[in-house]
Amino acid sequence: MLHQFIERAVQQAVAKVLPDADMSSVLVRPCPDPKFGDYQTNALMSLAKERKLNPCQLAADVLTQLNVSEWCEKVEIAGAGFLNFRLKVSALEQTLAAVARGGHLFFEKAAEPRTIVIDFSSPNVAKPMHVGHIRSTVLGDCLARTLRLLGHRVVTDNHIGDWGTQFGKLLLGWKGQLDRAALAADPIGEMERLYKSTNAACETDADLLERARQELVKLQNGDAENLVIWREMIELSQHQFDTLYGRLGVEFDFTLGESFYNPRLKQVVAELRERGIARESEGAICVFSDGSLPPKEDPFLKQQDGQWTPNPCLIQKSDGAANYATTDLATLAYRFETWQPAEIVYVTDGRQQLHFRQLFAIFRRWHPDAKVKLSHVWFGSILGENNTPFKTRSGETVKLAELLDEAESRALAIVSEKNPNLSETERREIARVIGLGAIKYADLSPNRQSDYVFSWDKMLSFAGNTAPYLQYAYARIRSIFRKAGAGMSPAAEIRLIATEEITLAKKLLHFGLVLEAVTEDYRPNYLCNYLYELAGVFTGFYEACPVLKAADAERASRLALCDLTSRVLQQGLALLGIETVEQM
RNA sequence: GCGCCGGUAGCUCAAUUGGAUAGAGCUUCUGACUUCGGAUCAGAUGGUUGCAGGUUCGAGUCCUGCCCGGCGCACCA
């Protein structure tokens, strides 16, 4: 893309003037205001600062070494030492024409593909998937899709909760009060009922609690009967997962649950003890600070009463059982050894930050030579009214299946009102796409680190930065092609004359830059913002530039612009996991 | 108490290595329709970026202190 050509040219020019400069900081970015130009670099000012040079003089020196006349008008030095670039319309036209002929859609594949493991979603067996799983699922899926499009090798792994203390109570309930008919009709509901009822009974009955514990011990020791029941619970749960992931369009390469790592846990603890990374404390096995980090950055220290005190990570409970840190360590080691990734990404809510800081720190000590990058991509909570956690009226967690149902039924009501002429089958399909898109977009468009307030009315609105608005923008473009019929020549020459055409063309060019930003910071909201802005710029073009009524050459050129815009919208939404429809 | 995160227009949010005059939507008000889909668009109103300092050519962004809110901090995950 053009900005990369300019960037490389600038880097080469800087290298001639300042051979020792760090080129990774010499970047070319879109201008914040078109009056300055189309692209700018502000890197020369910081380079000048480091070297105590006059920034404008440095800019002038770089300029003498710079030749971007193939793509740009005269380069300007402005402000405190910006270089401003203005694209030649001819370069724009050629770039768009090349994409229209079948090039990559305004992005470039990564020069050095990386292998990246992404851990996301992670629902629990025998429990309904609920609203708490949506953000991890949607974020992780979007990151996987975007990284893949850019040419990276992505391994998605669903670390389901198929092991743990809850199975004691579940097994006890299953054996005592399982309703087979209810299980057949609604397996998750029945398992949830068994757990809740047994759990409640255990609150007041110590004998029952002990029996639940015994069931858990039997399971952990490989008791045949309990294993059979446990496997059935997993299988029933997997059906639920498959159904919901099917609706959401999410796929995993692997589903290696917690239980997969059971055979490795003892070894993990033993190894960490042998190496002196972990030791016994109050009956548990713990990892303490090794003093290698400054106290402020050390996840195994906290300040209490003005003193740095231990903040250990437990890797084995005093009863000898492993806990989630143990499993996560075994999982991390397995992923590292199995896929040899450049990076492992965990998509979870922000409350687990300390856990992952400790987990990563332990792994670094355990495998000091491992080059793998470890990332915790965390997100904020979904809130209901009054900034309280999002719950149903009766205070229950909102089930994911019901959430999706409601999204679709609300969308159906809107579609039926707006476009009653469509058949019910068509309206249902449109409602499905709009309803699911609205939910996903509501999760992806805010900064992932902030909490957001769940609002049906906002997410399903056709105005503002919402999925329906973008889907509408797409449908409206497709409508032009339906009217145009088959008379569209795909490899049309593109001629940009009106300012709205040029603005749209320049916006299309930014797509790849945005995708890179998304994968660098793991922030899909950059893509959402971009698509919304693109839709806005397109509307400006749509209002000002008639397409079908234009004369032949202009018509073909504008049709090509429409086609490129619709493709970027569709591709962008697809990366967010959101479908489009031809009519809505 | 300590840590992490947040505090930006009346409301909900954005702001791409520190970069130029902090931007959208909603709301309110004013306009545009014999419409390539008005499910739209144009314009107006609206700001001491929580407070006070500091760093520098330049700070919503970095540093220090304080105020307010959410979350976390040894055997749940």
Side-chain angles (χ1 to χ4, degrees):
Chain A
M1 288 301 107
L2 291 176
H3 98 269
Q4 276 135 333
F5 298 153
I6 299 168
E7 189 168 278
R8 282 165 208 154
V10 173
Q11 288 174 350
Q12 283 165 15
V14 171
K16 285 181 187 160
V17 178
L18 301 172
D20 60 328
D22 172 18
M23 286 309 150
S24 66
S25 70
V26 180
L27 301 176
V28 170
R29 291 284 172 255
C31 285
D33 188 325
K35 80 177 180 193
F36 298 122
D38 298 317
Y39 293 96
Q40 64 171 232
T41 180
N42 56 47
L44 302 182
M45 289 181 281
S46 44
L47 286 175
K49 190 182 211 167
E50 287 168 14
R51 291 166 174 73
K52 298 189 166 46
L53 300 170
N54 178 325
C56 288
Q57 184 58 50
L58 176 62
D61 292 345
V62 169
L63 201 46
T64 61
Q65 302 296 327
L66 184 64
N67 183 5
V68 289
S69 59
E70 187 182 346
W71 317 294
C72 301
E73 309 288 354
K74 190 171 180 298
V75 182
E76 291 168 3
I77 301 171
F82 293 93
L83 283 186
N84 287 337
F85 304 89
R86 209 171 290 273
L87 294 177
K88 284 183 172 168
V89 171
S90 58
L92 263 177
E93 289 170 340
Q94 284 162 22
T95 304
L96 263 64
V99 176
R101 281 194 301 268
H104 282 148
L105 196 55
F106 303 107
F107 64 86
E108 288 185 355
K109 294 275 184 187
E112 296 169 11
R114 307 164 71 228
T115 299
I116 300 162
V117 177
I118 310 184
D119 175 311
F120 65 98
S121 198
S122 308
N124 291 312
V125 162
K127 289 184 190 168
M129 282 186 81
H130 56 83
V131 64
H133 296 111
I134 185 87
R135 221 171 174 187
S136 173
T137 306
V138 168
L139 263 168
D141 183 53
C142 170
L143 297 176
R145 289 170 187 265
T146 309
L147 287 164
R148 280 198 176 118
L149 184 72
L150 293 183
H152 298 289
R153 294 177 290 268
V154 175
V155 177
T156 53
D157 184 10
N158 195 2
H159 192 63
I160 59 170
D162 62 359
W163 198 252
T165 49
Q166 74 271 24
F167 283 103
K169 288 166 185 169
L170 276 165
L171 284 162
L172 186 61
W174 184 286
K175 289 179 177 178
Q177 43 176 306
L178 177 64
D179 178 343
R180 273 281 168 192
L183 190 73
D186 176 12
I188 301 298
E190 174 63 4
M191 288 190 280
E192 192 187 19
R193 185 187 70 80
L194 293 177
Y195 178 81
K196 281 185 174 170
S197 129
T198 311
N199 190 45
C202 286
E203 299 267 324
T204 55
D205 187 337
D207 289 346
L208 215 57
L209 188 62
E210 177 55 26
R211 282 173 57 201
R213 216 185 60 79
Q214 289 303 325
E215 294 294 350
L216 181 65
V217 170
K218 278 166 70 182
L219 175 68
Q220 287 167 341
N221 291 337
D223 175 79
E225 184 191 7
N226 280 10
L227 276 176
V228 167
I229 298 171
W230 172 70
R231 288 198 187 103
E232 186 171 355
M233 290 195 274
I234 292 175
E235 198 179 326
L236 291 169
S237 300
Q238 191 63 47
H239 283 306
Q240 175 208 207
F241 301 153
D242 291 343
T243 303
L244 284 166
Y245 291 137
R247 288 180 75 177
L248 290 169
V250 174
E251 290 176 10
F252 291 91
D253 301 316
F254 296 92
T255 300
L256 301 178
E258 293 170 354
S259 68
F260 177 80
Y261 300 95
N262 283 344
R264 300 160 182 270
L265 301 180
K266 287 267 180 274
Q267 176 69 17
V268 169
V269 176
E271 234 180 278
L272 290 171
R273 293 187 77 173
E274 277 165 30
R275 302 225 193 161
I277 298 168
R279 63 179 164 84
E280 194 259 316
S281 167
E282 297 174 27
I285 309 298
C286 307
V287 175
F288 288 88
S289 171
D290 66 350
S292 62
L293 288 168
K296 269 194 98 162
E297 295 166 28
D298 193 326
F300 305 104
L301 289 179
K302 63 178 170 183
Q303 205 162 59
Q304 207 157 32
D305 305 325
Q307 296 203 5
W308 290 106
T309 55
N311 186 33
C313 176
L314 270 70
I315 61 166
Q316 184 177 294
K317 301 194 282 184
S318 53
D319 65 2
N323 65 1
Y324 74 121
T326 332
T327 313
D328 276 358
L329 280 164
T331 306
L332 181 40
Y334 175 85
R335 290 171 175 166
F336 174 66
E337 287 156 12
T338 305
W339 294 304
Q340 299 176 337
E343 182 168 2
I344 303 175
V345 177
Y346 292 83
V347 186
T348 84
D349 76 271
R351 289 174 297 193
Q352 299 186 47
Q353 284 176 84
L354 178 62
H355 168 66
F356 281 104
R357 283 181 62 214
Q358 291 187 328
L359 180 72
F360 296 167
I362 295 172
F363 184 78
R364 294 289 179 211
R365 283 203 246 163
W366 186 17
H367 295 274
D369 301 325
K371 292 283 187 287
V372 62
K373 180 180 171 190
L374 302 172
S375 303
H376 182 208
V377 173
W378 60 269
F379 52 85
S381 310
I382 303 179
L383 304 176
E385 307 282 310
N386 302 328
N387 289 357
T388 55
F390 186 46
K391 294 275 171 67
T392 62
R393 284 216 181 95
S394 55
E396 302 271 301
T397 56
V398 178
K399 290 177 179 145
L400 186 53
E402 290 169 8
L403 190 78
L404 302 187
D405 290 345
E406 181 161 0
E408 290 184 19
S409 69
R410 281 175 181 261
L412 181 62
I414 296 170
V415 172
S416 299
E417 185 201 325
K418 304 273 191 193
N419 211 340
N421 297 327
L422 295 171
S423 73
E424 186 181 335
T425 313
E426 285 171 313
R427 281 184 284 120
R428 285 197 179 278
E429 170 62 5
I430 292 163
R432 183 187 69 77
V433 171
I434 291 178
L436 294 177
I439 286 194
K440 289 187 176 187
Y441 199 83
D443 261 314
L444 294 169
S445 60
N447 181 337
R448 64 177 160 81
Q449 294 187 334
S450 52
D451 298 343
Y452 80 92
V453 177
F454 191 93
S455 163
W456 287 117
D457 290 340
K458 272 185 190 146
M459 73 175 71
L460 283 167
S461 167
F462 285 80
N465 189 3
T466 64
Y469 175 84
L470 296 176
Q471 289 165 324
Y472 171 66
Y474 175 81
R476 203 160 58 159
I477 299 175
R478 299 305 305 160
S479 168
I480 295 175
F481 285 95
R482 271 197 304 283
K483 284 228 162 65
M488 150 96 187
S489 51
E493 187 189 350
I494 291 181
R495 290 169 59 229
L496 305 171
I497 296 152
T499 56
E500 289 84 359
E501 293 175 306
I502 293 170
T503 303
L504 176 59
K506 287 173 178 173
K507 198 72 188 178
L508 287 168
L509 231 52
H510 292 173
F511 186 50
L513 201 59
V514 171
L515 297 185
E516 283 166 28
V518 168
T519 57
E520 269 167 39
D521 295 342
Y522 300 118
R523 288 186 43 184
N525 66 307
Y526 293 150
L527 177 55
C528 297
N529 290 347
Y530 168 78
L531 293 175
Y532 179 60
E533 286 168 10
L534 176 64
V537 168
F538 177 80
T539 306
F541 159 82
Y542 181 86
E543 298 277 327
C545 303
V547 178
L548 296 178
K549 288 175 189 161
D552 289 348
E554 195 171 50
R555 182 175 188 267
S557 173
R558 287 179 174 172
L559 275 170
L561 272 176
C562 288
D563 181 56
L564 290 170
T565 305
S566 72
R567 283 164 58 192
V568 171
L569 282 173
Q570 185 175 43
Q571 175 67 268
L573 286 168
L575 291 173
L576 301 171
I578 297 173
E579 297 172 67
T580 46
V581 285
E582 299 294 302
Q583 295 182 66
M584 57 192 277

